[in-house]
């Protein structure tokens, strides 16, 4: 196996892994918001989705109908519209025609695909590459960790929810990071309360404070907490419907002409997903998380 760092990451300043001990804690949601928040600060950000059995990142960004292409240098990632080429995404979800299809692969084949994603994607210059990883700490994950170590990541963000069962799984993930040599950058407590869409009151339906207690116990950074906010879910779903509608309309020559005329007036009025997110109530929460992450001034990777 090639032990050299992937050349595709030569111009990537920082690589951050997003990990969780179990599925269903909102890891991909945290990855998405981390990318949007960093891009809003003027940084160029790439998102690599290597959760092969549940590649939800294309849907989170509203680009699951996009296609990626191969160039002579490798896979060309998908760009998020209207972001000034500041936000790029690569996922196996782009290679699957029907997102309802399952990927039934054994461990070695998954590891091989992850190796290709790490070495054969044309990222160019990036300030941050955020890698959304599969949940768990199995033997398969050890193989994945060996591949990811070649990328020389800055470290990992651990995502948990407030419940004790999730906290226990994240303890295992912390132990896993220690054993494979990943620095833990901090803990994010997701689903820490529910924001009522009518009165905006936040209720702790899953309790709260578990992530902060975990961080204090293991003497690692607590980056912050995020409530469940239906407005963010609505933002993602509305963005998807808009992208899907544009995809359908483009099949009609008549609609293409109408769309081109309309775009003459609307070109400068298009709102990017970044701007939509900044106006969402979750952005102030995640802006604090990003500030807590950036204040440590981690130096750029050296290859």
């Amino acid at each position: 196996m090639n032990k050299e760092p992937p050349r595709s990451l030569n111009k990537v300043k920082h690589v951050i892994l997003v990990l969780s001990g179990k599925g269903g804690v909102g890891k991909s949601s945290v990855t998405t918001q981390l990318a949007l928040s960093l891009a809003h600060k003027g940084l160029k950000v790439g998102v690599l989705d290597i959760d092969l059995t549940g590649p939800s990142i294309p849907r989170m960004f509203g680009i699951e109908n996009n296609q990626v292409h191969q160039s002579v240098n490798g896979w060309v990632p998908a760009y998020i519209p209207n972001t000034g080429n500041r936000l790029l995404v690569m996922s196996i979800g782009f290679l699957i025609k029907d997102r309802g299809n399952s990927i039934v692969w054994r461990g070695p084949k998954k590891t091989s695909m992850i190796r290709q994603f790490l070495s054969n994607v044309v990222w160019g210059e990036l300030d941050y590459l955020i890698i959304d990883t599969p949940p768990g700490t199995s033997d398969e994950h050890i193989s994945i960790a060996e591949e990811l170590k070649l990328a020389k990541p800055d470290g990992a963000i651990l995502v948990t929810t407030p419940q004790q069962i999730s906290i226990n799984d994240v303890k295992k993930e912390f132990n896993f990071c220690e054993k494979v040599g990943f620095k833990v950058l901090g803990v994010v407590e997701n689903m820490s309360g529910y924001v009522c869409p009518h009165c905006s009151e936040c209720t702790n339906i899953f309790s709260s404070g578990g992530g902060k207690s975990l961080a204090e116990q293991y003497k690692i950074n607590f980056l912050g907490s995020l409530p469940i906010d239906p407005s963010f879910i609505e933002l993602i779903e509305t963005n998807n419907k808009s992208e899907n509608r544009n995809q359908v309309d483009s099949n009609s020559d008549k609609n293409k002409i109408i769309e081109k005329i309309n775009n003459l007036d609307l070109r400068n009025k298009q709102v990017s997903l970044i701007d939509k997110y900044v106006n969402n109530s979750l952005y102030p929460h995640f802006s604090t998380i990003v500030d807590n992450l950036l204040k440590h001034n981690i130096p750029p990777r050296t290859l």
Side-chain angles (χ1 to χ4, degrees):
M1 184 182 70
N2 184 14
K3 296 293 184 181
E4 294 295 322
R7 291 186 179 180
S8 62
L9 304 183
N10 282 352
K11 297 181 180 180
V12 178
K13 295 178 182 178
H14 299 278
V15 176
I16 295 177
L17 312 178
V18 181
L19 306 176
S20 66
K22 67 190 299 295
V25 299
K27 176 174 52 61
S28 295
S29 172
V30 169
T31 299
T32 301
Q33 294 182 77
L34 176 59
L36 292 171
S37 299
L38 288 170
H40 178 65
K41 293 181 179 295
L43 301 168
K44 190 170 183 181
V45 183
V47 179
L48 177 59
D49 181 7
I50 62 170
D51 189 352
L52 302 184
T53 55
S56 56
I57 287 297
R59 183 167 181 79
M60 296 297 293
F61 283 98
I63 55 171
E64 61 180 343
N65 289 323
N66 283 35
Q67 294 181 343
V68 292
H69 305 280
Q70 270 196 314
S71 69
V72 292
N73 295 316
W75 291 102
V76 179
Y79 285 81
I80 308 301
N82 307 317
T83 61
N85 295 339
R86 278 183 291 147
L87 198 48
L88 303 79
V89 174
M90 184 60 194
S91 168
I92 196 172
F94 295 129
L95 309 179
I96 303 173
K97 293 182 180 179
D98 182 358
R99 65 185 178 93
N101 289 341
S102 61
I103 300 176
V104 187
W105 290 351
R106 295 187 184 276
K109 190 170 184 180
K110 290 181 183 178
T111 304
S112 177
M113 175 57 76
I114 290 170
R115 188 180 302 139
Q116 288 188 47
F117 275 175
L118 288 174
S119 60
N120 293 334
V121 177
V122 186
W123 294 110
E125 294 186 6
L126 289 181
D127 293 301
Y128 282 87
L129 176 64
I130 305 166
I131 302 181
D132 187 17
T133 65
T137 57
S138 66
D139 177 67
E140 178 181 312
H141 291 84
I142 295 174
S143 299
I144 292 173
E146 290 174 350
E147 296 296 330
L148 291 175
K149 283 176 70 175
L150 296 177
K152 296 188 176 180
D154 298 24
I157 293 175
L158 304 184
V159 181
T160 185
T161 54
Q163 306 99 310
Q164 191 60 46
I165 187 171
S166 179
I167 297 296
N168 290 339
D169 286 330
V170 173
K171 288 180 179 179
K172 297 175 185 176
E173 193 71 40
F174 176 77
N175 184 256
F176 176 82
C177 288
E178 282 193 319
K179 289 182 176 179
V180 299
F182 290 152
K183 178 182 178 181
V184 176
L185 301 175
V187 175
V188 172
E189 181 179 295
N190 199 22
M191 305 184 191
S192 182
Y194 171 79
V195 178
C196 176
H198 303 290
C199 67
S200 298
E201 181 180 352
C202 187
T203 304
N204 293 324
I205 56 176
F206 294 135
S207 75
S208 65
K212 187 174 183 179
S213 298
L214 176 71
E216 291 173 350
Q217 178 182 349
Y218 287 98
K219 295 181 173 56
I220 53 180
N221 298 318
F222 179 66
L223 298 176
S225 58
L226 291 169
I228 301 171
D229 192 335
S231 67
F232 177 71
I233 301 169
E234 183 180 0
L235 168 64
I236 296 299
E237 293 301 323
T238 303
N239 192 57
N240 270 290
K241 289 177 182 178
S242 175
E243 292 297 321
N244 291 336
R245 184 167 60 249
N246 290 339
Q247 187 79 12
V248 172
D249 288 348
S250 67
N251 292 330
S252 166
D253 290 337
K254 181 179 178 180
N255 284 330
K256 280 183 179 180
I257 296 172
I258 295 173
E259 183 181 2
K260 185 175 289 186
I261 294 172
N262 290 337
N263 282 343
L264 292 176
D265 294 327
L266 299 176
R267 188 172 298 162
N268 295 324
K269 298 180 182 179
Q270 292 176 331
V271 180
S272 72
L273 181 58
I274 296 173
D275 293 329
K276 292 177 183 177
Y277 176 64
V278 169
N279 292 320
N280 186 266
S281 60
L282 281 185
Y283 174 71
H285 294 273
F286 218 97
S287 180
T288 301
I289 290 173
V290 169
D291 289 342
N292 287 336
L293 182 66
L294 296 181
K295 72 181 181 181
H296 296 287
N297 295 319
I298 301 172
R301 298 161 58 246
T302 55
L303 300 176

